[in-house]
Amino acid sequence: PYDLVRMDWKMPKMDGITCVQQLQRDESPHAPAVIMVTAYGREDALSTAMSQGVELKAVLTKPVTTSTLLEAIGAALGRGVQAQTRQRAKVDHLAESMQQLMGCRVLLVEDNEMNQELAQELLHNAGMSVVLANHGQEALDILARDQAFDGILMDCQMPVMDGYTATQLIRSQLGITLPIIAMTANAMAGDRERVIAAGMNDHIAKPLDVNQMFATLAHWISPSTP
């Protein structure tokens, strides 16, 4: 007997919902709980299952993250309290990190408009003040006349001047020792070492994980005027 089945929905020969329907016709006490995984839309899977009288313990959409899979397994096996406790801890840790950062003034160096909007909204929600630079040279120009920041968030791949070059010049030419945190889509082995070698303190991977982002910021940055 199996306790749990992780079932794809759209498959050849027999799709996942039809398979679960046949599994649940067996009134054996060992009928497994089923987590449906699909790239075709959670609501569509739930409504199709309901129309065929199929009970699904959970439906996950691809790509599946470690945390959502673990929480779905906990719920499917009747161990949801553990998942809820872990989720509560994540929420509490996020709130604590955001509280620590309230009042910080940061320079955001980012060329992509969507990333600019997202980062500014997240930082403003934490009570942080944000000044925007569209590339490395613009960041240098801003810092040459205004160094009253608590930290710098630096994209790495930008036109005009990339984040690595900008950081090296901020350290060598301007002599600024403020924490500089890379925000980069480069998350391969060795990328963290590269940003450290350029003079940055740490890095945050894109797409942004909000908990990890604020935890990293709170580790390095604190408001000079809380």
Side-chain angles (χ1 to χ4, degrees):
Y2 292 91
D3 298 303
L4 180 71
V5 173
R6 181 176 173 274
M7 180 80 72
D8 192 18
W9 177 17
K10 299 288 189 180
M11 297 183 289
K13 295 189 179 180
M14 179 184 290
D15 67 64
I17 291 176
T18 304
C19 181
V20 175
Q21 186 179 42
Q22 295 198 18
L23 283 173
Q24 292 178 353
R25 283 177 184 162
D26 178 7
E27 297 181 0
S28 164
H30 299 299
V34 177
I35 297 175
M36 183 70 67
V37 186
T38 178
Y40 293 90
R42 184 175 182 277
E43 298 306 318
D44 288 344
L46 283 170
S47 61
T48 302
M50 188 179 298
S51 68
Q52 296 183 26
V54 171
E55 179 187 358
L56 300 174
K57 291 294 185 181
V59 176
L60 299 177
T61 54
K62 300 175 184 177
V64 176
T65 65
T66 305
S67 58
T68 57
L69 178 59
L70 202 58
E71 287 164 13
I73 291 172
L77 298 179
R79 300 174 188 174
V81 173
Q82 294 177 355
Q84 290 170 11
T85 301
R86 202 177 77 259
Q87 182 63 25
R88 181 72 259 169
K90 285 170 62 178
V91 170
D92 290 344
H93 188 257
L94 175 59
E96 182 181 339
S97 296
M98 293 175 73
Q99 181 68 32
Q100 288 179 236
L101 292 162
M102 188 173 291
C104 283
R105 183 173 186 254
V106 296
L107 177 62
L108 172 65
V109 191
E110 169 67 64
D111 67 304
N112 181 280
E113 288 187 10
M114 288 184 62
N115 290 340
Q116 289 174 356
E117 290 179 14
L118 174 60
Q120 286 184 100
E121 182 176 352
L122 291 171
L123 297 170
H124 286 149
N125 286 343
M128 302 171 73
S129 173
V130 183
V131 174
L132 178 65
N134 292 286
H135 49 74
Q137 183 60 58
E138 193 171 313
L140 287 171
D141 295 341
I142 290 170
L143 290 166
R145 62 179 184 269
D146 179 9
Q147 298 184 12
F149 294 97
D150 298 303
I152 301 168
L153 304 184
M154 181 74 73
D155 188 22
C156 291
Q157 305 297 333
M158 295 179 290
V160 184
M161 182 184 291
D162 64 45
Y164 302 111
T165 304
T167 298
Q168 290 168 346
L169 294 175
I170 288 169
R171 299 300 194 208
S172 62
Q173 286 190 4
L174 300 180
I176 293 174
T177 59
L178 286 172
I180 302 178
I181 314 298
M183 295 179 68
T184 174
N186 298 335
M188 304 296 289
D191 288 325
R192 187 177 189 278
E193 288 73 13
R194 187 180 177 191
V195 303
I196 299 300
M200 302 186 215
N201 298 82
D202 208 335
H203 92 300
I204 298 168
K206 298 175 185 174
L208 297 175
D209 177 316
V210 175
N211 283 279
Q212 188 257 339
M213 171 186 169
F214 281 114
T216 302
L217 293 180
H219 178 75
W220 293 103
I221 298 174
S222 57
S224 53
T225 308

